[in-house]
Amino acid sequence: MRCNLAILIGMALHIAVVGGGWYGCHIAAELLARGHDVRLFEQHGRLFHEASGNNQFRLHLGFHYPRHAPTRLQSRDGFSRFLAAYPTLSQEVAENFYAVATGDSRLDSASYHLVMQGSGLDLAEACPEASGLRGVDAVWRTDERVLLLDRARAHFSAGLAEYVQFGARVDARQAGNHVLVGGRRFDLLVDASWGHLTRPPISCIFEPTLLLYYAGPVGHPAITLVDGPLCSIYPTDQPGLFTLSSVAHTPLGCCDTAAAARAIRDGTDAATIGRHRVLMEAQISRYLPDFSERFRYLGPQLAIKTKPVGPDDDRAARVFRMGRVIAVMSGKVDTVFHAADRVLDEVAALTGVPQRAHV
Ligand SMILES: Cc1cc2nc3c(=O)[nH]c(=O)nc-3n(C[C@H](O)[C@H](O)[C@H](O)COP(=O)(O)OP(=O)(O)OC[C@H]3O[C@@H](n4cnc5c(N)ncnc54)[C@H](O)[C@@H]3O)c2cc1C
């Protein structure tokens, strides 16, 4: 049920949200639910056209981030909030293995296990034979799920239909106690463009990325090698369709600006994809020796990731308010709840009206 608290006490803000990905859609829905007057601007003709529609579709639980506690904890808590808020937008992965690669991992398996336990993340040990993996020290089963892309896009397309303006690549300029977005006046801008409109005030880079799609056996286990420049094969929402990702070979560049990253992504040719494919298949085959017999290459998936600079694999979501602009630095999909909480806190600070129940 919508809670129009802000309207009831006359503190509804006129808010522009830029970006029709997971972050912009979820945050716009949260602001609408509190009675604000929201307009969502998306430059493309549909939602989830950029990173939210082009990624590995893993609903994280924290297991990917042994070197960064805030990411791990945001993800662990975001996972259960995601299931409660969006019960139909993810599904189980029947067999989902994490493994520490012998000699190639930054952490030994005992340390990895301890870090996860310390964060309240349970790992059920599995025998390596069950996973089909070679060259690994330890294998665990996890309860990570897969995001259902088509359903998520349909969910927000229906729910936000009357609030979205498509084909609107907007700029933004602050002026006194308001902000001009695409030339229109708003009380507040929530920039959920993943750094493409307003650069977050932290040290970050824009990384054009390449994942590869494969047809594989329906029900083949999801496999993730940790921790370091390793690889993973993960199912999608389509039976028998998988993505192959590699920390070492997925990046196509490391750019200081979003424009430079877009230029690399859009200019990626077949020869580049072919070179990365050879490296990515060789890497996964070290651990899954029958990979090339079981999986058939289908095509590339190109995207751009905005990443904090640093050695810890930091993917925590962050929110910064600069006057009438709230810039959202996305992390993973389920860390969106942490970001939305911070946005609501900033709106509360601006209006003097609590926006969420504190626990
Ligand atoms: C290769 C890769 C693999 C990943 N794997 C996973 C994973 O398995 N699990 C996971 O949880 N996360 C994963 N992620 C991260 C995940 O994709 C992001 O957390 C999430 O998509 C960020 O959502 P967003 O809404 O912030 O950004 P986006 O989805 O990129 O949305 C930003 C939107 O802003 C719009 N926009 C930009 N500038 C303007 C403008 N000036 N005017 C109007 N519109 C504008 C864009 O068109 C875009 O639609 C992965 C990312 C990549 C790149």
Side-chain angles (χ1 to χ4, degrees):
M1 196 176 84
R2 283 171 64 133
C3 155
N4 289 331
L5 179 62
I7 282 180
L8 283 174
I9 59 173
M11 284 306 294
L13 297 180
H14 189 36
I15 303 178
V17 177
V18 173
W22 264 110
Y23 277 66
C25 290
H26 175 77
I27 291 167
E30 291 288 302
L31 292 168
L32 282 163
R34 284 154 183 83
H36 296 288
D37 175 19
V38 176
R39 195 84 202 145
L40 176 64
F41 295 98
E42 169 51 48
Q43 63 185 343
H44 296 296
R46 63 171 186 168
L47 300 176
F48 288 41
H49 190 81
E50 296 277 345
S52 295
N54 296 287
N55 62 63
Q56 198 161 40
F57 311 117
R58 182 195 301 264
L59 184 61
H60 282 274
L61 250 166
F63 296 114
H64 224 73
Y65 297 100
R67 279 174 280 137
H68 202 253
T71 308
R72 210 159 54 240
L73 300 179
Q74 281 187 25
S75 218
R76 181 198 67 187
D77 298 345
F79 181 88
S80 41
R81 290 179 72 179
F82 188 99
L83 294 189
Y86 300 117
T88 61
L89 303 189
S90 71
Q91 72 186 21
E92 280 180 5
V93 176
E95 296 263 62
N96 196 336
F97 296 113
Y98 267 64
V100 166
T102 311
D104 298 335
S105 176
R106 287 178 177 226
L107 279 183
D108 63 84
S109 53
S111 306
Y112 177 82
H113 197 192
L114 268 178
V115 168
M116 294 304 151
Q117 275 185 325
S119 297
L121 288 163
D122 289 331
L123 285 165
E125 198 149 347
C127 68
E129 289 69 40
S131 63
L133 284 162
R134 302 283 178 276
V136 295
D137 275 352
V139 181
W140 297 276
R141 285 195 161 82
T142 78
D143 293 331
E144 274 182 346
R145 295 165 69 89
V146 63
L147 294 156
L148 302 179
L149 170 62
D150 289 345
R151 279 207 206 169
R153 186 182 276 128
H155 171 87
F156 287 111
S157 299
L160 297 173
E162 60 185 290
Y163 309 102
V164 188
Q165 189 173 330
F166 288 113
R169 183 179 168 80
V170 292
D171 55 6
R173 184 166 64 82
Q174 297 208 49
N177 65 354
H178 63 274
V179 55
L180 294 169
V181 179
R184 286 162 59 182
R185 188 184 163 121
F186 291 87
D187 297 318
L188 191 65
L189 161 64
V190 177
D191 178 0
S193 67
W194 211 4
H196 287 240
L197 177 59
T198 314
R199 195 187 176 96
I202 53 168
S203 181
C204 62
I205 54 123
F206 298 88
E207 184 178 272
T209 57
L210 171 70
L211 298 193
L212 302 175
Y213 281 112
Y214 287 82
V218 175
H220 189 283
I223 303 285
T224 305
L225 280 307
V226 285
D227 168 44
L230 296 166
C231 50
S232 55
I233 181 98
Y234 209 77
T236 67
D237 58 357
Q238 312 293 321
L241 181 67
F242 296 79
T243 54
L244 176 61
S245 172
S246 159
V247 174
H249 307 303
T250 281
L252 294 170
C254 172
C255 304
D256 192 41
T257 65
R262 286 195 295 270
I264 292 179
R265 179 198 60 187
D266 298 344
T268 302
D269 58 15
T272 305
I273 293 168
R275 278 198 306 278
H276 282 254
R277 180 181 159 198
V278 167
L279 293 167
M280 289 164 78
E281 290 184 358
Q283 188 181 37
I284 188 84
S285 299
R286 287 179 61 181
Y287 310 102
L288 269 184
D290 59 355
F291 178 81
S292 54
E293 286 108 71
R294 312 203 79 191
F295 289 88
R296 180 170 51 85
Y297 175 68
L298 294 176
Q301 180 214 77
L302 293 159
I304 296 173
K305 189 181 281 183
T306 313
K307 276 170 44 170
V309 174
D312 304 331
D313 220 12
D314 172 0
R315 297 290 188 282
R318 292 177 176 77
V319 164
F320 308 92
R321 180 149 80 87
M322 296 162 288
R324 291 291 170 140
V325 175
I326 296 179
V328 179
M329 176 67 183
S330 310
K332 311 310 290 184
V333 169
D334 56 9
T335 60
V336 71
F337 295 94
H338 178 85
D341 286 350
R342 301 283 89 73
V343 170
L344 295 176
D345 289 346
E346 293 296 349
V347 173
L350 206 58
T351 58
V353 180
Q355 304 286 311
R356 68 186 180 104
H358 285 268
V359 285

